[in-house]
Each structure stands twice: as structure tokens, then as C-alpha cells.
Amino acid sequence: MKGMTLIVKTITDFVAGFIVIFGAYIVLYGHLTPGGGFAGGVIVACAFILLMLAHGSDVAFSKLPEKVAHVMDSAGALAFLGIGWFGMTMGFFFMNSFGRGEMFKLFSSGMILPLNIAVAFKVGSSLFLVFSALAIFRRRSFRAMIEDELA
Amino acid sequence: MTVYFLCVVLLTMGLYCLVAKKNIVKKVLGIVIMDYAVNLYLIIIGYKTGGVAPIIEADMPLSTLERFVDPLPQALVLTSIVIGLGVMSLMVAMCIRLYEKHGTFDMSVISKLRG
Amino acid sequence: MANIAPQLYALLVFMVIGSIVAIETRNLLSAVISVSAVGFALSVAFLFLGAPDIAITQLVVEVLVLIILIRGTILLDNTAVDTHRDTLAVVTSLIFFGLILGFGAMIFGSRGFPEFGQPVMRVSKVYVQTGLPATYAANIVTAVILDFRAYDTLGEATVLFTSILGALALLRREGKVSREEVVAA
């Protein structure tokens, strides 16, 4: 998959980092302001999809390799489950057993902040993966290439 | 009441698109429209007249809690939207595979071909 | 106590018109863009209905829906399917349409259904009253999805995981076949 023109590439270089920061803000302050893991994860995925559309798949995969995205996807789901099981050791499944902290501060509300981050990792990396699979999907399969070569 | 009825109109239009159209991308669009209608219906059910968003601020009088809209449908719809995106990408993947195999998006042609 | 009904009606009528255009147009690109217009109107409607969380999520997801649909399907084939209409399917679905609308009118006309603007908040009252002291999260929606009902969210994360896994399995590169196999086939 090829990239776009120089103008689009330059603007993308300016903007992509800020989009990632904004997504991280939406995730981290999900328990105090509107937002949360789902919206923030999609925003971060949008930044990498913008990179892929503007620069082509090679540059996007050099920033976030496919293997790393697979690992992040599974790690997010496992972290979500693991936090639930940690609550199990204290009482019941998904018990909010971490320290509560102080109200209306960033590090408060126990397990909600780690769960938000886990959901964001899961949603963001899986959407990036599915978009990359859709975008760079080869219309011509390996078998068809060999058949053309033989013909 | 009319608001609910317009939601049902939107839902049935998606259903019509799903049943009567031949193009499989159009069928996917019909499912997406049905998704929108159901999400909007759930949020509208939880709306309270003069309601505010269910987010507490530090210096908020306690009586504001009475004006909050229903947070439960919002929590269910929030995950449902992202799941709708995942399911839609699964359907688009199926469409691409069908196009690769048959060379067309037309459902009547695809169902006539054997093998 | 602002009355939001006029804005909501305007947005709903806009959404209905947008879906009619999306369903009846012959060009696939126009159909996809009309569906996205419906989605953005839906996002504005969520803002009016006091749901900023949902509005943000819907807006961002809508951008991705537009990109995925155009990138995945329109680039392959933008020709309209222009065969004869199947009259039986159209008539059947129109009867369906009428029946469902009739049932909808019956259900919403019956008593016991909550009026618009007066929700039955039997369960949610507990969440609103005890949300801040129990979880220390100021956003009640986040408190519900990640604390009171975290088990639900786990199930929905599993659904998302499975659907993405299905899409990746469908789109994987075809297994390597040797030249001899192709020649033999």
C-alpha cells in the first residue's frame, strides 16, 4: 500500500503525535470526565490509521509492528481478566480492592483506572490490526500469481 | 411518543434495506442503520426532561443528583457501539472474501453460482 | 429546563432522510457517505440527550466506519448492481414494514410504557446515589461499566475479541502452496 503526497505526509507528522496524546488523556481521565477506555482506544487507533493512510503500511508497521499489536491486543484482554481475578483473592470477582485514593484526583477510584488502560490497549490495537488487514489485503492470492506466471 | 415511533421507522428502514437489496454492501449498511436505531432508542428511553449528564463535579449541590439522566442505558450502549464497529469489520471482511471468490457484490449472482 | 424536543425531531427527520438516500441511491459511495451523515447526526443527538461519553465514542467510531467501508469495499468495485428488482422480496418486506410499524404504534400507544422524559430509574437510582462514595469515580457511566457491571464489560470485550479474530482469520494471507500443487490441479 502506497502513501499520499508530500503535503499530507508533512501535516500527518505534525498531527499524529498530538492525536496520541489526546487519546491518552481521554483514557487516563475517563473516570473524572467524559471519555474512557473505549473512546480513547479508538482515538489512538485513529492516529496509527492516519499514519498508515498517509505514509503507507511500511512506516506504520515500523512505528507499531504487527507482532507487537497482536501481543498488546491479547495482553489487554488478559489484564482485564487478571484484575478481575485479583479481586477474587480479596472477596469476589471484580471486587474493587485497590486503594481508593482521594476523590476527584487522577489516582483514585481503585481498579477503574487500570481497567480503562487495559480496555484502551485492547480496543486500540485490535482496531489497528483489523484495519491493516483490510487495507493491505492482497486481492490476488498466491495461487493466482503462480497460475498467471505459468500461463 | 413520536420520538419512539421515529426510532422504529429508522429500524424498519434498516430491516427493509437488509431484506430487499441485492448488493451485499447495501445489506451491511442496513445492519449499520439498525444498529444506530437501537442505540438511539436505548438512550432516548433513559432521558429525563431537563436532565444533565451523569458526571459529578466537586462543587455540585446534592440536589443535582436528582436531575441526572439514566446512566445504565448509556453504559450498555457505550460498549455496544464499539462492538458494532467490530462486527461491521467482520462483515466487510466477508464481503471482500466473497468479492475475491465471485468477482461481484451481487447477491443474486453469488447465490446462483455453485462452487 | 430547556425543551429539547424540536432539536431532537429535526435530527431524527434528518436521519430518516439520510437513510432513505442511503438505501435508494444506486452509487455505493453515495450510500456509504449518507450512512455516515446519519451517524454524525446521531452523535449530535446523543449530545442533546445528555450523553457526552456516547457522543465522543460515536463520533470517533463513525470516522472509522467511513474509512473501513470506503477502504475495504468501494475501492474494489463501485459499480451499481443494476439487475431487475425482485418484486416478491420488495412486496414481502413492505408488508413486514407495515406490520412492524403497526406493532410499534400498538406498543407505544399502550399504557405502562414510560413517557419521553420520564424514565423509570429503579436500578439506576442506586447507581447515582452510591456511585461516588462506593467507587470514587466522578463519571457515573464509567463507574457502572467498570465497577458495578464489570462482568458485562468482560463479556463484551470477549465479543469484540472474537469478531476481530474472525475478521483477521478471514483476511489472512492464503497458505503457501507449492508450484507443483498448482500445476497438478
Side-chain angles (χ1 to χ4, degrees), chain A residues 42 46 49 127 131 134, chain B residues 28-29 32-33 35-36 81-89 92, chain C residues 31-37 39-40 57-74:
Chain A
V42 182
C46 274
I49 285 171
L127 287 178
F131 180 78
L134 282 169
Chain B
V28 173
L29 294 184
V32 171
I33 290 175
D35 202 6
Y36 291 162
I81 289 174
V82 179
I83 285 176
L85 179 59
V87 172
M88 198 213 66
S89 51
V92 168
Chain C
V32 168
I33 291 174
S34 309
V35 165
S36 282
F40 287 126
T57 314
Q58 173 69 33
L59 190 67
V60 182
V61 162
E62 196 51 50
V63 173
L64 264 185
V65 166
L66 186 62
I67 295 175
I68 284 180
L69 275 174
I70 289 182
R71 191 73 214 178
T73 60
I74 308 299

Side-chain angles (χ1 to χ4, degrees), chain C residues 35-46:
Chain C
V35 165
S36 282
V38 175
F40 287 126
L42 183 63
S43 168
V44 179
F46 285 154

Side-chain angles (χ1 to χ4, degrees), chain B residues 1-17 19-23 25-26 28-29 32-33 35-37 39-41 43-57 65-83 85-90 92-97 99-100 103-109 112, chain C residues 1-2 4 8-9 12 15-16 19-20 22-25 28 31-32 35 38-39 42 45-46 48-54 57-58 61-62 64-65 68-69 72-73 76-77 81 83-86 90 93-94 96-97 100-101 105 108 113-121 123-124 127-129 132 138-141 144-145 149 152-153 156 159-160 163-164 166-167 170-172:
Chain B
M1 273 318 106
T2 324
V3 185
Y4 295 145
F5 190 71
L6 280 173
C7 279
V8 179
V9 168
L10 208 59
L11 181 81
T12 38
M13 278 166 54
L15 193 64
Y16 169 75
C17 188
V19 173
K21 292 295 166 183
K22 293 251 178 70
N23 196 323
V25 180
K26 278 279 184 73
V28 173
L29 294 184
V32 171
I33 290 175
D35 202 6
Y36 291 162
N39 288 341
L40 181 60
Y41 177 69
I43 294 292
I44 282 178
I45 272 190
Y47 180 72
K48 183 181 276 186
T49 307
V52 295
I55 294 162
I56 300 174
E57 289 165 17
L65 288 185
E66 298 297 320
R67 289 175 56 209
F68 277 178
V69 299
D70 198 344
L72 189 55
Q74 293 193 18
L76 300 182
V77 166
L78 186 63
T79 43
S80 145
I81 289 174
V82 179
I83 285 176
L85 179 59
V87 172
M88 198 213 66
S89 51
L90 177 63
V92 168
M94 282 182 197
C95 292
I96 290 178
R97 270 303 192 192
Y99 185 84
E100 194 201 30
T104 177
F105 279 139
D106 195 343
M107 197 65 216
S108 56
V109 177
K112 267 178 205 146
Chain C
M1 294 290 164
I4 62 149
L8 198 59
Y9 282 131
L12 267 164
M15 285 165 69
V16 168
S19 355
I20 289 174
I23 291 170
E24 286 306 326
T25 183
L28 270 187
V32 168
V35 165
V38 175
L42 183 63
F46 285 154
F48 276 117
L49 288 166
D53 298 88
I54 320 288
T57 314
Q58 173 69 33
V61 162
E62 196 51 50
L64 264 185
V65 166
I68 284 180
L69 275 174
T73 60
L76 287 182
D77 182 14
V81 177
T83 50
H84 66 285
R85 278 167 176 261
D86 191 351
V90 172
S93 46
L94 281 179
F96 231 26
F97 194 90
I100 290 176
L101 280 186
F108 297 133
F113 201 81
E115 292 274 338
F116 173 63
Q118 293 154 16
V120 185
M121 290 176 66
V123 181
S124 318
Y127 292 152
V128 170
Q129 298 292 343
L132 187 62
N139 188 348
I140 304 289
V141 177
V144 171
I145 61 172
R149 287 180 166 262
D152 278 10
T153 312
E156 298 185 10
V159 174
L160 183 67
S163 65
I164 298 291
L170 273 173
L171 291 174
R172 75 184 190 282

